[in-house]
Amino acid sequence: MTTDQPHPQLLLIFGGPGAGKGTQASQLSQRLGVPHISSGDLLREHQRHDTQNVMSSGELLPDDLVTRVVLARLEQPDAARGAILDGFPRTVAQARALDTWLEQRSGTLRAAFYLDVPPDELVARIVGRQESSHRRDDNAAVAERRVDIFNREMPPILDHYAAHGQLHRIDGTQSIDQVQMQIVAGLGR
Ligand code: AP5
């Protein structure tokens, strides 16, 4: 790396399936002028059959595959100043890989936001959008499985960022605009 390269600054958006990560990250991307990088969108572009089958079941994909795909996206020129990550990291191994990536580039984590939405509301939102999303994992049974996996994997990740004082918890049941305003307020602090 050359010394005149900018140091990337990342924002992380956490939340269960259907919590509004993509909705908020997309609005923030326009507001801040940095790309929104969704691990789910990147993986859906992966047309491999085995990848699509795992995603349709609601299970997580292997850490090495996901980490490789997301970090490669972060290396693209449009993310040189930073990005908003949605859906990554989702395991402790992914969080460690991201920490190392940032350290190697003298990058920083600007903030992490956790959109807190109760499980029944998460499932209702996913079922509510299934006709428009055309996603094979958007049905009640798989949504419940995705929520279970989220509840299993996420606590240590949230603890990891909370321990560094970088985690903002936001009530994700508020309106989309209210959630966005709280994220913006959190960035100003
Ligand atoms: P991914 O694509 O990341 O899906 P997800 O986490 O389940 O979340 P969604 O994209 O479904 O929801 P969202 O939180 O973005 O909510 P949205 O804004 O769309 O992952 C899919 C799969 O990929 C995983 O199951 C796994 O297999 C694999 N994968 C991805 N990342 C991985 C990783 N890091 N490691 C391993 N595997 C990985 O909103 C949802 C709905 O709610 C919309 O209709 C929206 O309009 C509505 N809505 C949003 N905000 C509000 C609000 N405030 N009030 C009311 N409605 C709202």
Side-chain angles (χ1 to χ4, degrees):
M1 298 190 83
T2 60
T3 48
D4 55 354
Q5 267 183 317
H7 303 300
Q9 203 178 47
L10 300 182
L11 275 175
L12 309 182
I13 312 281
F14 296 127
K21 302 181 294 297
T23 303
Q24 296 300 329
S26 156
Q27 288 193 9
L28 261 188
S29 164
Q30 298 205 350
R31 193 182 283 272
L32 303 177
V34 292
H36 162 203
I37 298 179
S38 153
S39 54
D41 287 348
L42 290 174
L43 295 163
R44 274 183 285 279
E45 286 166 14
H46 242 248
Q47 290 302 331
R48 284 181 49 165
H49 216 60
D50 48 353
T51 304
Q52 300 305 321
N53 285 344
V54 173
M55 292 178 79
S56 300
S57 74
E59 298 294 325
L60 295 184
L61 284 159
D63 286 329
D64 55 347
L65 166 70
V66 180
T67 302
R68 185 162 31 83
V69 167
V70 173
L71 296 187
R73 176 65 186 87
L74 278 172
E75 297 289 352
Q76 296 300 306
D78 66 329
R81 287 192 306 116
I84 302 158
L85 286 181
D86 147 17
F88 183 94
R90 235 169 167 111
T91 65
V92 171
Q94 293 176 18
R96 290 202 180 117
L98 185 63
D99 287 347
T100 304
W101 185 89
L102 273 173
E103 269 169 37
Q104 287 169 344
R105 285 152 188 79
S106 305
T108 49
L109 180 67
R110 186 169 171 193
F113 294 92
Y114 170 54
L115 311 182
D116 191 4
V117 176
D120 53 347
E121 171 74 14
L122 295 174
V123 174
R125 286 188 191 176
I126 287 170
V127 171
R129 72 161 184 204
Q130 72 187 131
E131 278 187 19
S132 58
S133 74
H134 305 296
R135 277 174 54 173
R136 283 163 63 196
D137 58 347
D138 278 355
N139 60 70
V142 177
E144 282 171 12
R145 180 84 192 114
R146 286 158 64 192
V147 170
D148 286 346
I149 292 169
F150 171 79
N151 287 334
R152 185 188 73 204
E153 297 290 343
M154 218 52 208
I157 313 261
L158 297 180
D159 291 346
H160 176 82
Y161 292 105
H164 293 86
Q166 291 161 313
L167 186 71
H168 302 257
R169 289 174 188 268
I170 293 181
D171 175 2
T173 64
Q174 303 172 98
S175 73
I176 290 171
D177 287 349
Q178 283 171 320
V179 173
Q180 180 76 187
M181 291 323 296
Q182 290 209 353
I183 292 176
V184 171
L187 286 175
R189 281 201 286 273

